[in-house]
Amino acid sequence: MILPERPRRLRQSPAIRRMVRETRLSADQFISPLFVREEEKARHPIASMPGQYQLGFYELEEEVRKIQDLGIPAVLLFGIPSKKDAEGSSAWDPEGVICKSIERIKKCCPDLCVITDVCLCEYTSHGHCGIIADTRRGTRDVDNDATVEVLIREALAHARAGADMVAPSDMMDGRIGAIRDALDAEAFEEVAIMAYSAKYASSFYGPFRDAAESPPSFGDRRSYQMDPANANEALREITLDLEEGADIVMVKPALAYLDIIRQTADTFSVPIAAYNVSGEYAMIKAAAAQGWLDEKQTVLEILTAIHRAGASLIISYFAQDAAKWLQR
Ligand code: PBG
Protein backbone atom coordinates (compact mmCIF):
# COMPACT_ATOMS: atom_id res chain seq x y z
CA MET A 1 0.00 0.00 0.00
CA ILE A 2 1.22 3.49 -0.78
CA LEU A 3 0.24 5.82 2.03
CA PRO A 4 1.17 9.50 2.35
CA GLU A 5 2.06 8.97 6.02
CA ARG A 6 2.62 6.01 8.27
CA PRO A 7 2.46 7.23 11.89
CA ARG A 8 3.25 3.71 13.14
CA ARG A 9 6.80 4.09 11.76
CA LEU A 10 7.64 6.24 14.78
CA ARG A 11 6.06 3.81 17.22
CA GLN A 12 7.88 0.66 16.16
CA SER A 13 10.63 0.47 18.78
CA PRO A 14 11.16 1.64 22.34
CA ALA A 15 14.15 3.72 21.18
CA ILE A 16 12.10 5.62 18.58
CA ARG A 17 9.16 6.04 20.94
CA ARG A 18 11.56 7.53 23.46
CA MET A 19 12.94 9.95 20.83
CA VAL A 20 9.58 11.33 19.74
CA ARG A 21 7.92 11.48 23.15
CA GLU A 22 6.40 14.93 23.62
CA THR A 23 5.85 14.94 27.38
CA ARG A 24 8.46 13.92 29.92
CA LEU A 25 7.81 13.45 33.60
CA SER A 26 10.53 14.13 36.10
CA ALA A 27 10.80 14.22 39.87
CA ASP A 28 11.62 17.94 39.51
CA GLN A 29 7.93 18.59 38.87
CA PHE A 30 6.59 16.81 41.93
CA ILE A 31 5.42 18.23 45.23
CA SER A 32 4.85 15.71 48.01
CA PRO A 33 1.95 16.48 50.39
CA LEU A 34 2.49 15.49 54.04
CA PHE A 35 0.18 15.34 57.07
CA VAL A 36 1.81 16.20 60.37
CA ARG A 37 0.35 15.48 63.81
CA GLU A 38 1.32 17.60 66.77
CA GLU A 39 3.28 14.76 68.42
CA GLU A 40 6.94 13.86 68.55
CA LYS A 41 6.48 10.25 67.46
CA ALA A 42 3.50 9.08 65.39
CA ARG A 43 2.75 7.14 62.24
CA HIS A 44 -1.02 6.78 61.95
CA PRO A 45 -2.23 5.09 58.78
CA ILE A 46 -4.97 6.96 56.91
CA ALA A 47 -7.62 4.33 56.17
CA SER A 48 -9.01 5.88 52.99
CA MET A 49 -5.51 6.61 51.62
CA PRO A 50 -3.55 3.34 51.85
CA GLY A 51 0.19 4.05 52.04
CA GLN A 52 -0.30 7.58 53.49
CA TYR A 53 0.22 8.44 57.16
CA GLN A 54 -0.22 11.20 59.70
CA LEU A 55 3.38 11.69 60.84
CA GLY A 56 4.91 12.92 64.09
CA PHE A 57 7.83 15.39 63.95
CA TYR A 58 10.42 12.63 64.16
CA GLU A 59 8.82 10.63 61.33
CA LEU A 60 8.44 13.86 59.35
CA GLU A 61 12.23 14.28 59.40
CA GLU A 62 12.71 10.70 58.18
CA GLU A 63 10.16 11.25 55.43
CA VAL A 64 11.60 14.52 54.11
CA ARG A 65 15.08 12.97 53.94
CA LYS A 66 13.64 10.22 51.72
CA ILE A 67 11.80 12.78 49.60
CA GLN A 68 14.96 14.82 49.13
CA ASP A 69 16.99 11.69 48.23
CA LEU A 70 14.43 10.88 45.52
CA GLY A 71 15.08 14.26 43.90
CA ILE A 72 11.66 15.72 44.74
CA PRO A 73 12.22 19.45 45.34
CA ALA A 74 9.23 20.35 47.52
CA VAL A 75 6.78 19.27 50.19
CA LEU A 76 3.33 20.70 50.96
CA LEU A 77 2.47 20.61 54.66
CA PHE A 78 -0.90 20.05 56.31
CA GLY A 79 -1.19 20.18 60.10
CA ILE A 80 -3.38 18.22 62.48
CA PRO A 81 -3.33 20.36 65.64
CA SER A 82 -3.84 18.99 69.13
CA LYS A 83 -6.63 21.51 69.79
CA LYS A 84 -9.18 23.30 67.62
CA ASP A 85 -11.37 26.36 68.27
CA ALA A 86 -13.86 28.53 66.36
CA GLU A 87 -11.15 30.88 65.04
CA GLY A 88 -8.60 28.16 64.26
CA SER A 89 -6.07 29.98 66.45
CA SER A 90 -3.55 27.13 66.37
CA ALA A 91 -3.10 27.95 62.66
CA TRP A 92 -0.99 31.02 63.51
CA ASP A 93 0.58 29.79 66.74
CA PRO A 94 4.37 30.17 66.37
CA GLU A 95 4.66 27.01 68.52
CA GLY A 96 1.94 25.24 66.51
CA VAL A 97 2.22 22.10 64.43
CA ILE A 98 3.13 23.73 61.11
CA CYS A 99 5.64 26.27 62.43
CA LYS A 100 7.38 23.46 64.33
CA SER A 101 7.34 21.25 61.24
CA ILE A 102 8.94 23.94 59.12
CA GLU A 103 11.70 24.46 61.68
CA ARG A 104 12.40 20.72 61.91
CA ILE A 105 12.56 20.34 58.12
CA LYS A 106 14.79 23.38 57.69
CA LYS A 107 17.22 21.86 60.23
CA CYS A 108 17.53 18.49 58.53
CA CYS A 109 16.93 19.39 54.84
CA PRO A 110 17.62 23.11 54.41
CA ASP A 111 17.51 22.90 50.61
CA LEU A 112 14.07 21.32 50.38
CA CYS A 113 11.36 23.81 49.36
CA VAL A 114 8.80 23.96 52.15
CA ILE A 115 5.30 24.97 51.05
CA THR A 116 2.52 25.36 53.60
CA ASP A 117 -1.21 25.04 53.05
CA VAL A 118 -2.76 28.25 54.37
CA CYS A 119 -6.33 27.50 55.38
CA LEU A 120 -8.38 27.16 58.55
CA CYS A 121 -10.41 23.96 58.09
CA GLU A 122 -7.79 21.81 59.83
CA TYR A 123 -7.76 24.16 62.84
CA THR A 124 -11.40 25.17 63.34
CA SER A 125 -13.77 23.22 65.57
CA HIS A 126 -16.50 23.52 62.89
CA GLY A 127 -14.23 22.35 60.05
CA HIS A 128 -14.95 25.29 57.74
CA CYS A 129 -12.16 27.14 55.95
CA GLY A 130 -12.79 30.43 57.75
CA ILE A 131 -14.57 32.45 60.41
CA ILE A 132 -18.29 31.71 60.72
CA ALA A 133 -20.78 34.58 61.01
CA ASP A 134 -24.51 35.17 60.60
CA THR A 135 -25.46 36.28 57.12
CA ARG A 136 -28.16 38.74 56.07
CA ARG A 137 -30.11 35.75 54.73
CA GLY A 138 -30.40 34.40 58.27
CA THR A 139 -27.95 31.55 57.64
CA ARG A 140 -24.45 30.97 58.98
CA ASP A 141 -21.53 31.07 56.55
CA VAL A 142 -17.83 31.83 56.26
CA ASP A 143 -17.22 35.59 56.50
CA ASN A 144 -14.83 36.57 53.72
CA ASP A 145 -13.09 39.63 55.10
CA ALA A 146 -12.79 38.42 58.70
CA THR A 147 -11.23 35.21 57.35
CA VAL A 148 -8.68 37.09 55.23
CA GLU A 149 -7.40 38.83 58.38
CA VAL A 150 -6.78 35.46 60.01
CA LEU A 151 -5.20 33.95 56.89
CA ILE A 152 -2.71 36.84 56.91
CA ARG A 153 -1.70 35.91 60.46
CA GLU A 154 -1.29 32.29 59.44
CA ALA A 155 0.81 33.07 56.35
CA LEU A 156 3.04 35.43 58.37
CA ALA A 157 3.55 32.79 61.07
CA HIS A 158 4.65 30.28 58.42
CA ALA A 159 6.99 32.80 56.78
CA ARG A 160 8.57 33.70 60.14
CA ALA A 161 9.13 29.99 60.82
CA GLY A 162 10.99 29.68 57.52
CA ALA A 163 8.46 28.59 54.85
CA ASP A 164 9.68 29.15 51.28
CA MET A 165 6.20 29.35 49.83
CA VAL A 166 2.66 29.71 51.17
CA ALA A 167 -0.34 28.14 49.44
CA PRO A 168 -3.70 29.70 50.39
CA SER A 169 -6.40 27.05 49.80
CA ASP A 170 -9.40 28.78 51.36
CA MET A 171 -10.89 30.48 48.23
CA MET A 172 -11.69 33.79 49.98
CA ASP A 173 -11.81 36.83 47.70
CA GLY A 174 -8.84 39.17 47.92
CA ARG A 175 -6.67 36.93 50.08
CA ILE A 176 -3.73 36.73 47.69
CA GLY A 177 -3.24 40.51 47.56
CA ALA A 178 -3.72 40.85 51.30
CA ILE A 179 -1.19 38.11 52.07
CA ARG A 180 1.31 39.51 49.52
CA ASP A 181 1.10 42.98 51.11
CA ALA A 182 1.51 41.58 54.61
CA LEU A 183 4.52 39.46 53.60
CA ASP A 184 6.18 42.39 51.84
CA ALA A 185 5.57 44.68 54.82
CA GLU A 186 7.61 42.26 56.97
CA ALA A 187 10.38 42.00 54.34
CA PHE A 188 9.33 38.51 53.23
CA GLU A 189 9.32 39.54 49.58
CA GLU A 190 11.16 36.31 48.70
CA VAL A 191 8.41 34.11 50.10
CA ALA A 192 6.39 32.96 47.09
CA ILE A 193 2.65 32.41 46.84
CA MET A 194 1.19 29.35 45.18
CA ALA A 195 -2.51 30.18 44.95
CA TYR A 196 -5.18 27.51 44.96
CA SER A 197 -6.89 29.67 42.32
CA ALA A 198 -9.38 27.35 40.67
CA LYS A 199 -10.37 25.11 43.55
CA TYR A 200 -13.61 23.29 42.91
CA ALA A 201 -16.17 22.10 45.48
CA SER A 202 -15.31 18.49 44.75
CA SER A 203 -16.31 15.12 46.14
CA PHE A 204 -12.76 13.97 45.40
CA TYR A 205 -11.56 15.61 48.67
CA GLY A 206 -13.37 13.00 50.79
CA PRO A 207 -10.32 10.97 51.86
CA PHE A 208 -8.33 14.16 52.61
CA ARG A 209 -10.94 15.21 55.14
CA ASP A 210 -10.33 11.90 56.97
CA ALA A 211 -6.59 12.45 56.72
CA ALA A 212 -6.68 16.03 57.98
CA GLU A 213 -9.65 15.45 60.31
CA SER A 214 -11.34 18.44 58.72
CA PRO A 215 -14.84 17.65 57.42
CA PRO A 216 -17.26 20.59 57.84
CA SER A 217 -19.55 19.92 60.82
CA PHE A 218 -22.50 21.56 59.03
CA GLY A 219 -23.26 22.44 55.41
CA ASP A 220 -20.64 22.19 52.70
CA ARG A 221 -17.99 24.38 51.03
CA ARG A 222 -20.04 25.47 48.00
CA SER A 223 -20.29 29.11 49.06
CA TYR A 224 -16.52 29.47 48.69
CA GLN A 225 -15.21 26.66 46.45
CA MET A 226 -16.08 26.71 42.75
CA ASP A 227 -18.96 25.04 40.95
CA PRO A 228 -17.62 22.10 38.88
CA ALA A 229 -19.77 23.33 35.98
CA ASN A 230 -17.75 26.54 35.52
CA ALA A 231 -14.70 27.16 33.34
CA ASN A 232 -14.82 30.90 32.58
CA GLU A 233 -15.00 31.55 36.29
CA ALA A 234 -11.75 29.62 36.76
CA LEU A 235 -9.98 31.91 34.32
CA ARG A 236 -11.40 34.93 36.17
CA GLU A 237 -10.18 33.58 39.53
CA ILE A 238 -6.73 32.96 38.03
CA THR A 239 -6.61 36.44 36.49
CA LEU A 240 -7.46 38.00 39.86
CA ASP A 241 -4.88 35.93 41.75
CA LEU A 242 -2.17 36.88 39.26
CA GLU A 243 -3.11 40.56 39.49
CA GLU A 244 -2.93 40.26 43.28
CA GLY A 245 0.57 38.78 43.12
CA ALA A 246 0.34 34.98 42.88
CA ASP A 247 3.59 33.42 41.60
CA ILE A 248 2.12 30.00 40.80
CA VAL A 249 -1.56 29.24 40.16
CA MET A 250 -3.21 25.94 40.87
CA VAL A 251 -6.09 23.96 39.45
CA LYS A 252 -7.64 21.42 41.81
CA PRO A 253 -8.62 18.58 41.47
CA ALA A 254 -6.65 17.50 38.42
CA LEU A 255 -8.25 14.61 36.54
CA ALA A 256 -11.80 15.87 36.08
CA TYR A 257 -10.40 19.35 35.32
CA LEU A 258 -7.74 18.72 32.65
CA ASP A 259 -9.64 21.10 30.35
CA ILE A 260 -9.24 23.87 32.93
CA ILE A 261 -5.50 23.16 33.15
CA ARG A 262 -5.22 23.34 29.34
CA GLN A 263 -7.21 26.59 29.10
CA THR A 264 -5.05 28.09 31.84
CA ALA A 265 -1.86 27.06 30.04
CA ASP A 266 -3.14 28.53 26.77
CA THR A 267 -4.12 31.81 28.43
CA PHE A 268 -1.31 32.58 30.89
CA SER A 269 2.44 32.19 30.85
CA VAL A 270 3.00 31.40 34.51
CA PRO A 271 3.83 28.11 36.22
CA ILE A 272 0.69 26.05 36.72
CA ALA A 273 0.33 23.49 39.48
CA ALA A 274 -2.30 20.75 39.47
CA TYR A 275 -3.40 18.92 42.59
CA ASN A 276 -3.87 15.19 42.02
CA VAL A 277 -6.13 14.97 45.07
CA SER A 278 -6.89 12.36 47.72
CA GLY A 279 -9.94 10.88 45.95
CA GLU A 280 -7.92 10.41 42.76
CA TYR A 281 -5.30 8.59 44.83
CA ALA A 282 -7.87 6.47 46.66
CA MET A 283 -9.60 5.35 43.42
CA ILE A 284 -6.39 3.99 41.94
CA LYS A 285 -5.29 2.38 45.22
CA ALA A 286 -8.66 0.67 45.62
CA ALA A 287 -8.78 -0.64 42.05
CA ALA A 288 -5.14 -1.76 42.17
CA ALA A 289 -5.74 -3.63 45.45
CA GLN A 290 -8.47 -5.61 43.66
CA GLY A 291 -6.12 -6.37 40.79
CA TRP A 292 -8.34 -4.34 38.44
CA LEU A 293 -5.69 -1.79 37.45
CA ASP A 294 -1.92 -1.93 37.19
CA GLU A 295 -0.95 0.72 39.73
CA LYS A 296 2.40 1.76 38.28
CA GLN A 297 1.17 2.02 34.67
CA THR A 298 -1.98 3.86 35.70
CA VAL A 299 -0.18 6.35 37.91
CA LEU A 300 2.47 7.17 35.33
CA GLU A 301 -0.26 7.55 32.70
CA ILE A 302 -2.34 10.01 34.73
CA LEU A 303 0.69 12.03 35.88
CA THR A 304 1.83 12.26 32.25
CA ALA A 305 -1.68 13.35 31.23
CA ILE A 306 -1.76 16.08 33.88
CA HIS A 307 1.59 17.36 32.64
CA ARG A 308 0.49 17.08 28.98
CA ALA A 309 -2.62 19.12 29.81
CA GLY A 310 -0.33 21.99 30.82
CA ALA A 311 0.61 21.62 34.47
CA SER A 312 4.31 22.18 35.07
CA LEU A 313 4.00 21.17 38.74
CA ILE A 314 2.06 18.23 40.14
CA ILE A 315 1.07 17.82 43.77
CA SER A 316 0.51 14.11 44.28
CA TYR A 317 0.43 11.47 47.00
CA PHE A 318 2.08 9.26 44.36
CA ALA A 319 5.10 11.60 44.11
CA GLN A 320 7.52 9.31 45.94
CA ASP A 321 6.45 6.15 44.12
CA ALA A 322 6.53 7.90 40.76
CA ALA A 323 9.98 9.35 41.46
CA LYS A 324 11.23 5.81 42.21
CA TRP A 325 9.64 4.38 39.05
CA LEU A 326 11.15 7.15 36.93
CA GLN A 327 14.65 6.38 38.23
CA ARG A 328 14.52 2.90 36.69
C1 PBG B 1 -7.95 22.67 52.71
C2 PBG B 1 -7.61 21.70 51.66
C3 PBG B 1 -8.36 20.61 51.19
C4 PBG B 1 -7.51 19.94 50.29
C5 PBG B 1 -6.32 20.65 50.23
N1 PBG B 1 -6.41 21.74 51.08
C6 PBG B 1 -9.69 20.09 51.55
C7 PBG B 1 -10.92 20.83 51.31
O1 PBG B 1 -10.96 21.90 50.70
O2 PBG B 1 -11.93 20.33 51.79
C8 PBG B 1 -7.84 18.67 49.55
C9 PBG B 1 -6.67 17.88 49.09
C10 PBG B 1 -6.98 16.47 48.70
O3 PBG B 1 -8.14 16.04 48.60
O4 PBG B 1 -6.01 15.75 48.48
N2 PBG B 1 -8.96 23.55 52.44
Side-chain angles (χ1 to χ4, degrees), residues 6-126:
R6 287 184 180 270
R8 288 190 58 196
R9 231 177 252 141
L10 297 184
R11 282 182 224 141
Q12 62 187 295
S13 77
I16 297 177
R17 287 199 292 276
R18 207 143 52 86
M19 288 160 69
V20 300
R21 187 159 295 147
E22 298 173 35
T23 307
R24 281 172 222 280
L25 275 183
S26 121
D28 292 339
Q29 302 165 267
F30 297 152
I31 298 171
S32 213
L34 295 173
F35 299 101
V36 193
R37 281 182 83 85
E38 197 165 1
E39 287 169 35
E40 180 56 27
K41 295 215 62 165
R43 194 172 174 83
H44 292 225
I46 300 163
S48 51
M49 300 176 71
Q52 300 297 311
Y53 299 84
Q54 295 179 342
L55 303 171
F57 298 117
Y58 176 80
E59 287 76 8
L60 172 69
E61 288 180 356
E62 288 183 331
E63 198 75 6
V64 294
R65 282 198 194 95
K66 276 193 255 163
I67 288 169
Q68 177 160 281
D69 289 345
L70 286 167
I72 297 169
V75 291
L76 174 60
L77 301 181
F78 296 96
I80 298 119
S82 51
K83 47 183 189 307
K84 305 191 183 203
D85 57 29
E87 281 78 46
S89 60
S90 52
W92 64 86
D93 180 356
E95 312 272 293
V97 57
I98 290 298
C99 292
K100 253 198 212 143
S101 300
I102 300 166
E103 286 157 12
R104 295 285 286 260
I105 296 173
K106 283 293 164 187
K107 261 187 215 139
C108 71
C109 299
D111 298 331
L112 196 68
C113 173
V114 177
I115 312 173
T116 59
D117 187 79
V118 172
C119 193
L120 294 177
C121 59
E122 299 125 76
Y123 308 95
T124 50
S125 39
H126 45 71

Side-chain angles (χ1 to χ4, degrees), residues 117 119 121 169 199 205 208-209 221 225 252 278 317:
D117 187 79
C119 193
C121 59
S169 71
K199 178 175 178 180
Y205 307 151
F208 173 94
R209 293 177 189 170
R221 304 209 201 287
Q225 299 181 350
K252 176 187 171 189
S278 58
Y317 305 98

Side-chain angles (χ1 to χ4, degrees), residues 76 102 114-118 151 154-159 163-169 176 179-180 183 191-196 247-248:
L76 174 60
I102 300 166
V114 177
I115 312 173
T116 59
D117 187 79
V118 172
L151 294 168
E154 183 179 7
L156 281 174
H158 296 173
D164 298 288
M165 204 179 281
V166 292
S169 71
I176 299 300
I179 290 172
R180 183 71 272 161
L183 289 171
V191 173
I193 300 180
M194 176 167 76
Y196 285 72
D247 300 285
I248 298 171

Side-chain angles (χ1 to χ4, degrees), residues 142-163:
V142 173
D143 183 285
N144 192 89
D145 298 10
T147 300
V148 170
E149 290 310 311
V150 176
L151 294 168
I152 290 173
R153 275 187 234 162
E154 183 179 7
L156 281 174
H158 296 173
R160 291 181 197 129

